[in-house]
Amino acid sequence: MGELFDPLFGMDAVAAATGDRAWLAALCETETALARACARVGLIDAPVALEIAAACEEAAAGDLAELGRRAVAGGNPVIPLVDELRDRVAKRAGEDASAAVHLGATSQDVLDTASMLITRRALDVLLPDLAACADACADLARTHRDTPMAGRTLLQLAAPTTFGALAAGWGSALDRGRARLSELRSTLPVQLGGAVGTLSVLHPNGLDVLAAFAEELGLAAPAAPWHTDRTTITELAGALGTSAAAVAKVAGDLVMLAQSEIAEVQEARPGGSSAMAHKQNPIAAITARAAAAQAPGLVATVFAAAAPELQRGAGPWHAEWPALTGLLRATGGAAARLRDSLTGLRVDAAAMASNLAALGDGSGTGHSGEFVDRYLAGRRT
Amino acid sequence: MGELFDPLFGMDAVAAATGDRAWLAALCETETALARACARVGLIDAPVALEIAAACEEAAAGDLAELGRRAVAGGNPVIPLVDELRDRVAKRAGEDASAAVHLGATSQDVLDTASMLITRRALDVLLPDLAACADACADLARTHRDTPMAGRTLLQLAAPTTFGALAAGWGSALDRGRARLSELRSTLPVQLGGAVGTLSVLHPNGLDVLAAFAEELGLAAPAAPWHTDRTTITELAGALGTSAAAVAKVAGDLVMLAQSEIAEVQEARPGGSSAMAHKQNPIAAITARAAAAQAPGLVATVFAAAAPELQRGAGPWHAEWPALTGLLRATGGAAARLRDSLTGLRVDAAAMASNLAALGDGSGTGHSGEFVDRYLAGRRT
Amino acid sequence: MGELFDPLFGMDAVAAATGDRAWLAALCETETALARACARVGLIDAPVALEIAAACEEAAAGDLAELGRRAVAGGNPVIPLVDELRDRVAKRAGEDASAAVHLGATSQDVLDTASMLITRRALDVLLPDLAACADACADLARTHRDTPMAGRTLLQLAAPTTFGALAAGWGSALDRGRARLSELRSTLPVQLGGAVGTLSVLHPNGLDVLAAFAEELGLAAPAAPWHTDRTTITELAGALGTSAAAVAKVAGDLVMLAQSEIAEVQEARPGGSSAMAHKQNPIAAITARAAAAQAPGLVATVFAAAAPELQRGAGPWHAEWPALTGLLRATGGAAARLRDSLTGLRVDAAAMASNLAALGDGSGTGHSGEFVDRYLAGRRT
Amino acid sequence: MGELFDPLFGMDAVAAATGDRAWLAALCETETALARACARVGLIDAPVALEIAAACEEAAAGDLAELGRRAVAGGNPVIPLVDELRDRVAKRAGEDASAAVHLGATSQDVLDTASMLITRRALDVLLPDLAACADACADLARTHRDTPMAGRTLLQLAAPTTFGALAAGWGSALDRGRARLSELRSTLPVQLGGAVGTLSVLHPNGLDVLAAFAEELGLAAPAAPWHTDRTTITELAGALGTSAAAVAKVAGDLVMLAQSEIAEVQEARPGGSSAMAHKQNPIAAITARAAAAQAPGLVATVFAAAAPELQRGAGPWHAEWPALTGLLRATGGAAARLRDSLTGLRVDAAAMASNLAALGDGSGTGHSGEFVDRYLAGRRT
């Protein structure tokens, strides 16, 4: 939503990683990598590739609004960017050199590949936050392995458990979320297929260019172009949704446990109110929930867009860009705010004991300690 | 998504109406209106209200990023804005005057009321675009009342109809969408309830302040605060979703009719390609579809957030802001791009006749002309 | 989900109104009405219409599974139903008479019209439940107009309010939800357009048949066929989503107020547990929330399906059936369970007073009583 | 939607696997497995476990409607089922034996474990259909490795490709979808935690019972109870959504290629119409799209429910049941109908050649053959 609202949703860092300037940089980086790949395969001269790289570097600092206006006519920013790059290269190295820009590629190649770069950058912001959240939960589980508290089912006092067992469940979900995202991060692929996915312009060197292009960007080289197979995007969306849900669970529980009537946890820096001076709102957890609440609808949007028509979707493809970007921001924001909430969290074991006493159930905490141990042991492997 | 992508999704105008600066302006306008309302009721002195208004005008031009950073602690931008306004008023008119800022209100009052102002502004961008689309459809229906074409069901050639009948169906849906949005626009309410919705600080003058506050902003005065009743928001979301769907239907049909193999319509300014010079992509319709495709998931997000806990939701309330903003942008963008698509649309009656001839069905076009007449007559009432 | 789960989600009555047998009945009722309408206009003989009506009555009691199997080939149950009706009529009154079955109509006409009948029946189950919920809230608001309780914002104790004010907010949302549904119920239209919406087979009598058809069924006669304009369906979906959200808000608050640590309300018949004998779970409110939670995703599905291709969608049209049916059930189930929750609800004013005392805020309840009065007065008009 | 509509959406087999009777069987199988596990660990006598198993077998054939009615009071069917099982065991083997029923477990343990059994059964219906679809695509890719066709981007004729390359992209997405589902299928875990997840009643034998319980059912034994960690469910939902999207892509393309104006493919048994005898509707693909279109909204519902409060959600948990069931049916139905569509699909290479000739682009099909080879080679590993 911009600089007025992004910070409170924890989205400022991930918004920077996925913003206009980052997209332009990713588009330019992709064109540079393509030129280098073509040079390595011998399709263009090395000095021309250097000129293209220089032009890309200039273009990456260009006027976003102007490029945005010029993107309207063709429906994507790659078309005017390629025009601009060709102009720049022509000025630097002559008309002939300009033909080497964007060689054999189509807009979707550049946009899809750039979206993988954007995803990687966003995950590099998001995953450390998720890891910090998970580590904080592991610390809570360890510290409070044997801290008894009342378990609440259907929001009614139920039977004794430990705060450690609850925190272990939180951490377990967060770990599963980030394990999947890490796995997907390590296999993010380039896309390169040319007009309809045959790489005909680069034939018979297309497979070599594809491999070199992937190496240049540190992305995976797919067996074949995936312009029509959007499972790369849907698996990302599903994994982001799982991580957002894992965050929402922890944040929701923190909000519940911080209720005035329960008061078993308190954030280190609770929020105030414009009307009530005494309020101690667990505002980081609250805004983590709000950020995470954006995710399910965005996941649905990505999934609904995942059946583009034939060789390139007439709308579905374009619909992915804001939805995937929004999903990275929602999940990233949620993780960042949950990290804030968990950092320095005050756990009031005495309040837990007191609330448990009200339940009057002396049945003990069973295997909760062993479950914590198993969870912690599972993290070390 | 920012200035690089917003224009191609038609979202630039509506993004400006719903962006950070617009939100800050709306928040400031709300605080000004509250001060004026309190002055009219005699709770604060008129000169103090003028100072508050002046402070609000200054604040509206303030540093968004700085305010955004200060919004993190309390989870909304109203808290630091009120602090800032009090400082400004204290400097202008003394400590005592500063107490008149935000009198009797809570953050939610200001944010919810500002969201109604934002909605009104966005609708004032969106509704003319929707109206232009509907008018264009009406023109097409009138012009092509008797232009025969092949009807296609399940994407198979089926039986004769007219382009006028198809266009009438498009216009009918667009008219219904905007009728509902116009109705809701005219009843957008202020929110004013104080800390928990009792207006206790303003008691016994709260009802008078509420009425005056609404008058100041030209919004409706609700019978009671609606901080806990989010049907105002869900009805808006539903209506925006309907309008987005109406746009998606027209845009989708235009994309189908513009297919190379059908070629019955063509946009006035079709888009090119970075790889294929001959392409005549109906890019305005394509990007209208993409913008509209964001809507269903955002509607779901708004609906899922519409059950905030007790007197103010601990997450659900905050979750509304980006979702409603996103929905205004998606619907507005879709309408703007469809307007582009319909403006100057080339209808190839000969191609329609030729495709119809291939069907070889001489059963005629039945009541299609009368249906067009009825639709046009309905618009005039 | 069937008879094992439907009752606990409150969906049994609405499932019966929207189930297979009800759908078959509605399809048959539609064919009967069409035959009668054609007879009134003079297109078929009155005795033939009577034979068709008799055949429809027989068919309505037919084998659902068999018809379901025969529906696969054409993708909808109307095709085999019409075959069956023609066979039945041929046996009763000869081959010639059988040609009068389904005269001038297409499958979509019958299915869309039947879906309006199903919707009306479901609303006739749902609206009384919603009304009972709203009335119960009004009773609570009246009874507890001056019962003080602690207001809670962001789930923190905030400032004094009254239970009456909270209940008034609940009722206000429920009333708004059902007002909209009632409005839409009264304008549910028949669909009749023939193969592609021109009523060519019935020409020049199509408009008369359309009017008579609507009269027969007590549905509205649209100006033109709406096979391509799905705003009738999206407005219903939006309105159902709003009502589901209104229910979810009340149910969520009841769950919160019934928490062991708050204990300000208790259901008349709280639920037990298979493991804990002491549990007093507000199970009606809990399952109302669960039913309502199905709604946002289903609304999104309906909206995403609302752009069918050209004269009949190749998938989007069919996708509406389960989604709209599911949405009627979700909203109906939620309303039924909330009604159970509110019926005989025990409100513990002493607990409210005690929790309020813990807040230690003597600022009073301001205009809460007047807000209740305004809400109640608004209901009478 | 029941036996009238399920077959046409391909959902009959998967509906049987996930229906009421299947759920009751799964609940009973779970209680049997628990008793056996307790017997293996020595907590109950072996003959008692046999009696419980016999009672479960009887109960599995019981009256669904009656159990459904009795499930209302506690909000789930496990509570009355356990009552019934205890009654049956008491009659068979005395009061004391009846105490061995449901030993140490809570309703959620039985319901969550049963949902894993239901998921496994549904996947055992769904995965063979997905595999058949993928194999059919692989066959098409192999057969049409070098069949030239016009590639279409943004639904405009673009450049040459091959039908094999298109089919390879379809198969690639289907393979990825089922690989993920197969992976998740093989790790579906039991849930066993007792009232709040500590297994206190079974202490100190809980871990042994957990392991034996998992063995009895052939499910995985989790490190700790996952009653509060719903990532098991969200990962399933995400994977089902991906498979549904993969199906939707193929089905959508088949519908496009079967358009009258393109006519490059035709289903073996196209559907007819109630109004137009000449129609050749690709009805299996159409209804596959419709079934798949239910998925994104249901995925969103599952994700939104994945943050249950504390030790058991007061609504979110219950909301999972219909949403996950619906998602299994939607995905399973889509796969079944796509299988029908692909079985015996007629590919008209001459029509492809003719449409390609209209494009007039002699640039060749580049690396399309190698991409097909790589895809096929990847399947063999």
Side-chain angles (χ1 to χ4, degrees), chain B residues 64-145:
Chain B
L64 289 164
E66 168 65 13
L67 194 64
R69 277 188 294 274
R70 292 176 59 208
V72 175
N76 75 62
V78 178
I79 299 173
L81 176 63
V82 168
D83 286 347
E84 178 188 337
L85 293 174
R86 286 187 176 140
D87 284 350
R88 288 185 187 276
V89 172
K91 276 180 203 145
R92 289 172 156 275
E95 272 309 317
D96 284 4
S98 78
V101 171
H102 194 63
L103 188 66
T106 195
S107 301
Q108 183 167 8
D109 295 333
V110 181
L111 231 141
D112 280 357
T113 301
S115 83
M116 295 295 98
L117 295 174
I118 288 288
T119 297
R120 186 167 64 185
R121 279 165 200 163
L123 291 177
D124 288 345
V125 171
L126 187 163
L127 282 167
D129 281 337
L130 270 184
C133 292
D135 290 347
C137 290
D139 284 347
L140 290 170
R142 193 178 299 109
T143 305
H144 295 283
R145 180 188 186 278

Side-chain angles (χ1 to χ4, degrees), chain C residues 101-314:
Chain C
V101 171
H102 193 63
L103 188 66
T106 195
S107 300
Q108 183 167 8
D109 295 333
V110 181
L111 230 142
D112 280 358
T113 300
S115 84
M116 294 295 100
L117 296 175
I118 289 287
T119 297
R120 186 167 64 183
R121 279 164 199 163
L123 290 178
D124 288 343
V125 171
L126 188 162
L127 282 168
D129 281 337
L130 269 185
C133 291
D135 290 347
C137 290
D139 284 347
L140 289 171
R142 195 179 297 109
T143 305
H144 294 283
R145 179 188 187 279
D146 301 309
T147 302
M149 76 183 295
R152 293 169 180 91
T153 59
L154 313 187
L155 285 176
Q156 298 287 304
L157 286 170
T161 185
T162 64
F163 185 55
L166 181 60
W170 295 345
S172 166
L174 290 165
D175 280 340
R176 184 155 169 170
R178 74 198 178 96
R180 179 75 176 144
L181 283 174
S182 297
E183 182 189 346
L184 294 176
R185 186 201 173 287
S186 69
T187 57
L188 296 171
V190 291
Q191 158 62 18
L192 190 65
V196 293
T198 64
L199 281 180
S200 61
V201 172
L202 300 176
H203 193 260
N205 303 297
L207 302 186
D208 293 337
V209 175
L210 176 59
F213 180 52
E215 269 185 37
E216 288 289 334
L217 292 168
L219 294 171
W226 50 277
H227 56 136
T228 66
D229 168 5
R230 311 311 286 173
T231 53
T232 296
I233 306 293
T234 58
E235 293 211 331
L236 261 172
L240 289 164
T242 283
S243 281
V247 169
K249 161 65 180 167
V250 186
D253 282 1
L254 290 173
V255 168
M256 296 287 149
L257 295 178
Q259 282 182 92
S260 307
E261 293 86 354
I262 294 182
E264 298 183 356
V265 305
Q266 190 182 56
E267 291 189 353
R269 283 181 300 280
S273 154
S274 73
M276 294 161 284
H278 65 279
K279 291 290 294 290
Q280 299 281 311
N281 300 317
I283 202 67
I286 286 166
T287 47
R289 290 178 99 189
Q294 309 302 311
L298 291 163
V299 171
T301 304
V302 172
F303 278 47
E309 299 94 348
L310 298 168
Q311 277 75 23
R312 185 166 311 128

